[in-house]
Amino acid sequence: MAQICQLEASPALASSMSLNMDSDPLLVLLVIIILARFILWSCLGTFVDYRLARRRPSKPKQD
């Protein structure tokens, strides 16, 4: 006979699931804004480094 396994959620898993379902919408929005700001800041920094690297001449001018 096949036994039916019952999966019981651990207390940590249950608390994290209830945290995700019952979390404050403003807190979720704040986390999204902070993540977006970090990603945009990283992309902007990379772009500025790229632009500054292109402006340097590869060889000095010879008279």
Side-chain angles (χ1 to χ4, degrees), residues 8-61:
E8 295 181 14
S10 66
L13 180 61
S15 66
S16 67
M17 287 174 61
S18 66
L19 177 67
N20 289 338
M21 292 179 158
D22 297 335
S23 59
D24 188 19
L26 292 177
L27 183 64
V28 173
L29 183 63
L30 178 66
V31 169
I32 291 172
I33 289 172
I34 290 173
L35 286 174
R37 183 178 175 205
F38 175 73
I39 291 170
L40 289 174
W41 190 257
S42 298
C43 293
L44 181 64
T46 304
F47 178 71
V48 168
D49 289 342
Y50 169 74
R51 293 287 291 190
L52 288 175
R54 280 186 40 204
R55 291 187 183 193
R56 294 185 196 148
S58 57
K59 294 182 181 177
K61 291 182 179 178

